[in-house]
Amino acid sequence: MSEYAQPVLKPSKWFAFIWSIPLFTALIASFLLFNYYQNRGVVITIDFTNGSGLVAGKTKIRYEGIDIGQVESISLIRGEKKVRVHARLNPSATYLASDGSLFWVVQARLSSGGVSGLDTILSGKYISMRTADGNGKAQSHFIGLDNPPMGDERLPGLFISLKAKKLNSLTVGTAILYKQIQVGRVEGAELLENKEVKIFLYIEPQFSHLVRSTTRFWNAGGIRVTGGLSGFKLQTESIAAMLTGGVTFATPETNLGDPARPGQEFLLYNDREEALAGVVARADVNFHPGIIIKVSFVNAEGIVSGKTEVKYKGISIGKVLERVISDDLSRVDLTIMLHPRAGEATRDGTSFWVVKPTFGSQGISGLSTLVDGRYIEVRPGKGKKTEHFVGLEKPPLTEDGEEGLHIRLICDSARSISSGSPLLYRHIEVGRVAGVSLARDGGSVEVYGLLYSEYKHLVKDTTRFWNSSGLTVKADMGGLELQIGSLASLITGGIEFDTPAGTGKPVTDCAIFTLYKGQDEAREWGRRIQVSFKSGRDLQTGADLRLRGVRVGEVKDVRLNGTMDGVIAEIYVEESHVEILRRGARFWVARPVVGLMAVKNLGTIIRGGYIEVEPGDGEPAISFAGLEQPPIDRPGSLQFTLTCPRLGSLHPGSPIFYKNLQAGQVLETGLSQDGEGVDVRVVINPPFARLVGDNTLFYRSGGVHVQASLAGVEVEVESLAAILTGGVSFENEDDLGEALTPESRPILFDTYKEATSAGQVWKEFVLTANQTGSLSVGRPVYYRGVQVGQVLRVALGDSADHVLVTIGLELHYAQLVRSSSLFWNVSGIGLDISLL
């Protein structure tokens, strides 16, 4: 067997080379992949409220004008009205994505500062970026801005802010002007919590040195025209500022202050005049700083912020910058800037008041304020310097250097009194009225007066002032009273005063007095009382208070009481008659009485009722209860009771006559205690009360009494008053007898004849009859046509089947009666007539 040669195996030389190709490829791929991710940059998200104009894969992100990234995608945020932009920053810009970085969409904008973002018209919108200070932490999510951010404080230049009440025409980019050259721009504005506006400004670096701590800024836009009686003034800045608005500023060269610091806050004034109020211009170049003070007024009507001037003797020394209502709404606080040379106007005691047009008897003042508007007048004080003042509601009482006694008078109405009206003493002018105004509560008028120095000793604390203006007329049944002041007071109004001799003490400055309506009221030295009545009928202010017909006082006021069920009359009683004001005094209203009996108080028909008073005898008093009717139980009157078998026409109020004069009246009527008769309570007035006694005869005064029989007709006629009203009469024959007392009970007869016959001595006889017919007590008994007696009593017999008639014959006729005598009734007609 042949032996074959064995092959020798050797490693291939191409093995390593072949596998190195994929390995090299993998290395290159890894390098490329690493380089891809390394150069891809960081992905960030930005949330915007509006994605208009942004395009995925196209919209760029720029920083300082260089593209540093691109928007990759845009999506909506669920549940929010926003869009989320996914963008990738270049690797070289990844460090810019840190805390504090700002992103906003750049688009074409037109403002007063010019046109910005014009390149976006062709290339489309892009996202601009501003970084923080570079020390922030890396961040991948940001909130985009709706508007470009305000100036970058890291940039050269000066960033400051202004505070204003409103933004006016200022917008982002509005020019900042200095001597009509633009030196900066408005960066933005925001609304503060106190509803003021904060405006952010950027001053370019080459002009930042122009802004100092004393610099004043004002709105330079538009045209302002002011005018008055003295002429008109036109204010404007550059044409650009007129059209687009702007902010300008100036710095006092004599008070430059310190350089403005970044972020410093200034006030924005409405115009140049307001900004430089209280600052004097020297050739429109040099300025002086003003003095700020606060003045509080109760009413700031007509005061305009930035316009109302402060003047001293017609020269403007300041202006109102601001007016604010106090927290309690009780006043208006004004911020005023004064000229620096007006420092004397900042001393304690300085007076501020508003000058307005005044029309009065003394002439017309403040006429220029109708066109120019009201202004504030100032009168410097002499105290220490201060910053807070209280304005006056009216001009002060005295002029500079004028001295005297200041007084204040309170009244319901000033009538014709006005500033300049004279103060008179015995018709000689000793002072003047400095001002008249309505009190704060509106319930009264305050008159301010000045007594000249040489006359101020005439005023004491007991002095009374009264209005002597015009005419005062009083008219009543007693005549006409006319009061006229002096000719000066008749034309211009005036005030008079008087002081009781030997009374009072000197008063201090600004003493307060009451200004009375007239001289009579002012000279009331007596006492005031209150009398309550159930009704105010026929009672009015000005009515007299009379005592036995003599005037002793006057009704000053009539008003409802607290419970509204009556009235209270406030009455003034003259000093010489105050002794009548004691417990037990009685007051009643005297009203007109027109009747058949009399006509009384006719004067009250024209002038109204008056109050009659009857003095009391108790302790002194000032409060009384009035009577609705005149009192019946007057001092000296007499009350007692009449008894009679029947009432007839009598009633409460029926008159009682003596010799046809009313001497009293019936008070009340009623049954007697035994029920057999009637009691009539009467009162006899003084001086008639002394004319009655227990022998006095009382009888009915029915007017006409007619008695007729076969023997003839007898007619008795009383007075006309008795015929019309009826009543009671009384007569005295000889001796009055003992005086009557309230317990006395005289008999009331039906007729005078019955009354007179009651005092005679009769011989009595008893007759029987089937009926009385027309017989009654008092009927006459005749013998051959001659009256010889009368019927005394009429009564039923014991068995009630007959009538017993008791007659009485005069003693000298008694022998005419025999056992065989016959009696018969001859009464045909019997009449007793009265209208009531």
Side-chain angles (χ1 to χ4, degrees), residues 744-763:
S744 299
R745 299 174 63 84
I747 296 174
L748 175 63
F749 296 97
D750 284 340
T751 64
Y752 174 70
K753 182 177 290 187
E754 181 182 343
T756 56
S757 63
Q760 298 181 2
V761 179
W762 304 98
K763 177 67 175 181

Side-chain angles (χ1 to χ4, degrees), residues 71-387:
V71 175
E72 290 188 343
S73 63
I74 302 174
S75 62
L76 293 175
I77 301 177
R78 180 176 297 179
E80 298 183 29
K81 295 181 179 181
K82 293 183 179 181
V83 296
R84 179 161 293 172
V85 175
H86 300 266
R88 185 178 298 276
L89 299 181
N90 297 337
S92 59
T94 55
Y95 72 95
L96 298 177
S98 61
D99 184 19
S101 295
L102 302 177
F103 295 86
W104 69 95
V105 178
V106 177
Q107 55 186 336
R109 297 177 184 271
L110 176 64
S111 67
S112 60
V115 180
S116 62
L118 191 61
D119 56 334
T120 60
I121 297 177
L122 299 176
S123 62
K125 297 180 181 180
Y126 62 88
I127 298 175
S128 186
M129 177 183 181
R130 178 186 295 175
T131 62
D133 55 9
N135 297 323
K137 297 181 180 180
Q139 184 175 317
S140 61
H141 181 69
F142 300 89
I143 304 298
L145 304 177
D146 294 331
N147 296 300
M150 285 174 274
D152 188 354
E153 297 182 358
R154 296 175 302 174
L155 298 177
L158 179 65
F159 289 90
I160 57 175
S161 62
L162 305 177
K163 286 184 65 175
K165 293 295 183 182
K166 56 183 179 179
L167 190 59
N168 291 320
S169 60
L170 302 182
T171 59
V172 176
T174 296
I176 309 298
L177 304 174
Y178 180 76
K179 296 185 177 182
Q180 299 185 355
I181 298 176
Q182 182 171 349
V183 297
R185 64 179 179 275
V186 173
E187 290 287 320
E190 66 178 11
L191 186 65
L192 303 179
E193 293 183 358
N194 61 0
K195 297 183 180 180
E196 291 185 342
V197 176
K198 188 173 184 179
I199 305 168
F200 299 92
L201 308 184
Y202 171 68
I203 307 297
E204 296 179 6
Q206 64 270 31
F207 302 113
S208 60
H209 66 280
L210 298 176
V211 182
R212 315 288 293 186
S213 59
T214 57
T215 297
R216 307 285 176 83
F217 291 82
W218 65 89
N219 195 324
I223 301 174
R224 289 178 175 82
V225 180
T226 58
L229 295 179
S230 58
F232 294 88
K233 180 166 59 176
L234 178 67
Q235 291 180 314
T236 179
E237 294 291 340
S238 65
I239 296 178
M242 284 195 301
L243 298 176
T244 64
V247 175
T248 188
F249 63 93
T251 304
E253 293 188 0
T254 58
N255 185 15
L256 296 177
D258 300 324
R261 63 183 183 276
Q264 185 169 346
E265 190 174 89
F266 297 84
L267 289 177
L268 177 64
Y269 296 93
N270 290 326
D271 53 36
R272 180 179 185 275
E273 188 173 5
E274 179 180 337
L276 303 179
V279 178
V280 176
R282 295 181 178 177
D284 292 329
V285 175
N286 299 324
F287 299 89
H288 297 280
I291 304 172
I292 302 296
I293 62 172
K294 301 285 186 179
V295 182
S296 298
F297 283 92
V298 174
N299 187 346
E301 181 181 0
I303 303 300
V304 181
S305 299
K307 180 179 179 182
T308 301
E309 295 182 333
V310 179
K311 295 184 178 182
Y312 175 66
K313 294 187 176 182
I315 299 176
S316 178
I317 62 169
K319 180 169 288 191
V320 176
L321 300 182
E322 183 181 32
R323 62 176 189 173
V324 179
I325 298 178
S326 62
D327 295 337
D328 59 0
L329 304 180
S330 64
R331 64 185 187 278
V332 179
D333 297 329
L334 303 182
T335 300
I336 296 176
M337 179 176 288
L338 297 176
H339 187 289
R341 294 182 180 178
E344 293 300 314
T346 63
R347 293 186 178 275
D348 191 18
T350 298
S351 300
F352 295 85
W353 69 94
V354 178
V355 176
K356 51 190 174 182
T358 302
F359 302 86
S361 59
Q362 302 302 309
I364 302 175
S365 62
L367 186 60
S368 63
T369 60
L370 293 175
V371 178
D372 296 338
R374 300 181 181 184
Y375 63 89
I376 298 176
E377 185 71 23
V378 60
R379 181 176 299 166
K382 298 180 180 180
K384 297 181 180 180
K385 290 194 174 183
T386 182
E387 297 179 353

